[in-house]
Amino acid sequence: MEDGGKRRRRWALLAATLSGAVLISGIGLWATDSWPFKDRYCWGAWEQDSGPRFLGDHVLRDSGSERRATESGTPGSGGGTATCTLIVTSSGSGSGSSSTSPTGFQDRLTLSYGPVPEAPDERRDWIDRYFDGSASLLPDGLDGLVANDRAMLILPESCDVAGRPSAVTLWGESWGDGPKGRRAMPLTLASLPDISTMLLDAADVGMRKAGCAPEKPLRTSAPMVRLTEGGDRPDNPVCRIPGVTFPLDEDERYEQRVGVVGDRLQTCSLVRRKLGSPDEPAAQFVMAGSPRTAAVFAGLPEGVAHGLVRTACDGRDTVFYARIAPGLGDGGGEKDRRVFERFTEAVGRRVGCEPVKTTGGTERSEGSEATEGSEGEAR
């Protein structure tokens, strides 16, 4: 029989062999970025190389590339807005780049969780950004929009803060450093389905941390429908809405983005484009007829003069919203009011709630009825 010393030596040898195998296996997993060594970002909502392009290793292909995340706050903490910024940077342009290509870049994705802004101007800026006409509607009745470089989801009422809806948003930016200095560049975060998955994963994590998550995670099963492939040079009527016309300067580069056109939501944006700079919003039009989407506009000044009216449409609380930049309109004057009235009339007619009868703010006078034949008056 084996004595005790020999048995102990055999067990020690076996343990050392198994330990070495585990170590080698672990090194292999680490070298291939396999579980459990993949990075997680933004309160654990996203995992490295999990599908979406922005999280993949392909964006780190250039020399000197890196990806890092910084978190500010925690969802639900103090009722404020928590943010996480995921940044991909490169100090080189990579192989095969021409001398005119950027010599470095920074792609930035900002995830935010919190209530919509309270201050009216900040709320309007938020609406203009996330109701942009480049965005497609989330399927399966979810109140949200997704585009190449942005996304937004309005959360259930249980997540409201101080009477304001909470939302999860994604906002992407890209900057390149080249011979002509720092310039804004187009950015596509991922495919629309992948961006939708990122948005819903972030929403689920945020709601759990805030203590307002529904019993079942938010998911979509229907395919995403891309409504806008790209912007068009606008013509009158703008946004294909009868009566909505502007004096568009031929020297300015405007882009029209006709987005969602449905019974519960309609969006359209007009932006001023300048090479190397971010787009400047020029005009925004929204009709919102679902309860959660309409709630985003609650608390803003109402009336034709403010570009916001609320009406009962087919038994639904429906909001009509427009914002026109001073450089395109007359700063909320008579011309802007005429454009807004024609927008409410045309869209109200389409969704079956003509004539629009406002329930708050400045009421229209009987003599202010506009017709399609009087488009020139708004120029």
Side-chain angles (χ1 to χ4, degrees):
M1 294 180 64
E2 250 181 353
D3 60 29
K6 288 183 178 180
R7 286 198 300 271
R8 285 193 295 272
R9 285 194 294 273
R10 289 183 62 188
W11 280 111
L13 179 61
L14 178 60
T17 302
L18 290 174
S19 177
V22 170
L23 178 61
I24 292 171
S25 175
I27 292 173
L29 289 170
W30 173 80
T32 57
D33 282 332
S34 299
W35 184 90
F37 297 102
K38 287 183 178 290
D39 290 332
R40 296 198 70 89
Y41 313 105
C42 300
W43 310 293
W46 302 327
E47 185 178 77
Q48 172 192 354
D49 207 22
S50 56
R53 172 186 172 276
F54 201 82
L55 302 177
D57 291 338
H58 183 69
V59 298
L60 304 178
R61 65 192 181 278
D62 292 341
S63 61
S65 299
E66 66 171 351
R67 178 171 44 222
R68 65 183 188 276
T70 58
E71 298 173 3
S72 176
T74 303
S77 178
T81 297
T83 62
C84 175
T85 305
L86 191 59
I87 300 175
V88 176
T89 57
S90 174
S91 57
S93 56
S95 60
S97 297
S98 67
S99 59
T100 58
S101 297
T103 58
F105 71 85
Q106 182 184 96
D107 293 344
R108 179 187 298 261
L109 171 60
T110 302
L111 161 65
S112 298
Y113 178 104
V116 298
E118 183 176 12
D121 284 347
E122 293 179 11
R123 179 95 61 91
R124 293 186 187 102
D125 289 343
W126 189 96
I127 291 167
D128 294 351
R129 170 175 288 189
Y130 294 110
F131 283 83
D132 187 82
S134 64
S136 299
L137 189 65
L138 279 172
D140 296 324
L142 294 174
D143 291 289
L145 294 159
V146 178
N148 289 336
D149 61 350
R150 71 195 75 190
M152 174 272 293
L153 175 67
I154 305 166
L155 301 179
E157 190 174 358
S158 59
C159 297
D160 284 5
V161 175
R164 285 176 285 141
S166 289
V168 174
T169 61
L170 305 181
W171 174 250
E173 300 173 277
S174 182
W175 297 88
D177 296 314
K180 295 184 180 181
R182 187 174 173 85
R183 301 169 71 85
M185 302 171 63
L187 176 64
T188 297
L189 295 169
S191 67
L192 294 191
D194 280 346
I195 297 174
S196 301
T197 299
M198 293 178 68
L199 180 68
L200 297 182
D201 287 346
D204 286 337
V205 168
M207 288 189 293
R208 286 201 304 270
K209 289 186 175 297
C212 63
E215 292 184 4
K216 296 182 178 180
L218 301 178
R219 290 291 181 267
T220 62
S221 56
M224 284 289 302
V225 177
R226 181 181 287 277
L227 299 176
T228 305
E229 289 295 335
D232 301 319
R233 172 73 190 181
D235 200 356
N236 284 308
V238 170
C239 294
R240 307 173 195 162
I241 302 171
V244 176
T245 65
F246 295 106
L248 300 175
D249 189 341
E250 290 294 331
D251 294 331
E252 297 280 358
R253 186 185 175 194
Y254 288 100
E255 182 179 283
Q256 173 180 279
R257 299 169 179 171
V258 179
V260 181
V261 182
D263 293 339
R264 300 296 181 96
L265 183 66
Q266 180 165 336
T267 62
C268 189
S269 307
L270 188 66
V271 298
R272 185 182 293 107
R273 306 206 69 182
K274 185 177 180 181
L275 188 63
S277 299
D279 296 339
E280 296 179 7
Q284 178 73 31
F285 298 94
V286 179
M287 180 277 294
S290 71
R292 294 305 294 156
T293 305
V296 168
F297 300 83
L300 291 176
E302 296 187 13
V304 172
H306 297 289
L308 176 64
V309 296
R310 190 179 298 271
T311 183
C313 177
D314 216 11
R316 304 190 308 268
D317 180 23
T318 302
V319 169
F320 292 84
Y321 168 89
R323 191 183 190 191
I324 303 168
L328 190 65
D330 63 354
E334 183 62 26
K335 290 182 180 180
D336 286 0
R337 288 195 291 270
R338 288 178 183 174
V339 167
F340 180 69
E341 288 177 342
R342 288 166 185 168
F343 160 64
T344 60
E345 288 163 3
V347 177
R349 184 182 303 118
R350 183 183 67 79
V351 298
C353 56
E354 186 205 4
V356 172
K357 297 182 182 299
T358 61
T359 58
T362 304
E363 301 289 342
R364 292 176 45 198
S365 64
E366 294 181 1
S368 64
E369 185 80 18
T371 64
E372 296 182 26
S374 60
E375 292 180 5
E377 296 178 10
R379 294 180 182 271

